Amino acid sequence: MKVILLGELRGKGGEGDVVDVAQGYAENFLFPNRMALAATPGNIKQLEERRHNIAKREEKRVADAQATKAALEGKTVNIDVKVGEEGQLFGSVTNTMIADAVKAQLGVEIDRKRIEHTSIKVAGAHVVTVNLYREINAQVQLLVGDPSLVVEEAPVQEAAETTEEAVEEVAVEATEESAE
């Protein structure tokens, strides 16, 4: 069944596109949610008259997406979460948490549904892709974990390694002395 899309439909097309979809999908989802119209000759004629307005809106959306991409691309966002032993998180980092952190730290509001990532369950640096509009994507680096603990853990680990080395040296010296 041919329909005229009234807005962007991920994977199908954008506003004003005439696409072919299953009849059940159109009648049970697209039409009730006012996402599409049937591609009748009268509706297609109205679409032709509105093409100029649709093109203007499309240009604005692309420009907004490019501006948002420039604001996000290459930026780093810190997400403060509880981290257990061996860097495992208590829970995981969700899209909502990422969207809230981006808004708070970078001042850019993004829709959580446009964030593409798998579940983040380990502390450290992660790269997340944000689908801004159709083919326009931005990549944001996330630093997951409590930043104060990351800074404090490094010297503690070095001290622990130094202590282990000292214990080994003492054990070697004790072995040498008992051998004499």
Side-chain angles (χ1 to χ4, degrees):
M1 172 176 210
K2 292 209 179 278
V3 297
I4 301 170
L5 297 177
L6 299 177
E8 182 183 3
L9 185 62
R10 199 172 209 165
K12 295 290 183 185
E15 181 180 6
D17 291 347
V18 178
V19 295
D20 195 24
V21 296
Q23 185 173 353
Y25 181 57
E27 291 176 356
N28 295 324
F29 181 72
L30 296 177
F31 296 158
N33 291 321
R34 296 193 172 138
M35 299 175 81
L37 292 172
T40 63
N43 287 340
I44 291 175
K45 186 176 180 182
Q46 287 178 351
L47 173 66
E48 294 302 323
E49 293 172 2
R50 296 183 333 187
R51 285 277 184 202
H52 180 66
N53 293 338
I54 292 171
K56 279 185 179 178
R57 283 193 295 268
E58 182 72 15
E59 288 175 15
K60 183 180 181 326
R61 289 181 190 127
V62 169
D64 289 345
Q66 291 291 355
T68 304
K69 179 180 179 177
L72 292 177
E73 194 69 37
K75 300 289 195 270
T76 302
V77 176
N78 295 320
I79 297 182
D80 185 19
V81 292
K82 286 187 176 184
V83 180
E85 293 181 22
E86 299 177 13
Q88 292 293 320
L89 302 182
F90 293 109
S92 64
V93 176
T94 64
N95 289 358
T96 304
M97 293 169 70
I98 296 170
D100 291 343
V102 168
K103 184 177 180 184
Q105 294 173 25
L106 302 179
V108 178
E109 190 165 342
I110 55 175
D111 184 11
R112 66 178 174 82
K113 295 176 185 171
R114 296 207 172 262
I115 298 171
E116 300 171 358
H117 85 286
T118 57
S119 179
I120 297 175
K121 296 186 178 191
V122 179
H126 302 274
V127 177
V128 173
T129 302
V130 180
N131 182 332
L132 299 170
Y133 186 70
R134 293 191 181 184
E135 306 297 320
I136 302 172
N137 297 321
Q139 293 193 342
V140 179
Q141 182 173 4
L142 300 177
L143 294 179
V144 178
D146 187 3
S148 62
L149 291 178
V150 173
V151 173
E152 292 175 8
E153 285 179 4
V156 172
Q157 289 173 350
E158 291 174 8
E161 291 172 3
T162 307
T163 306
E164 290 174 10
E165 292 171 1
V167 169
E168 289 175 13
E169 288 177 13
V170 170
V172 169
E173 289 176 7
T175 307
E176 290 174 356
E177 288 178 4
S178 63
E180 292 176 356

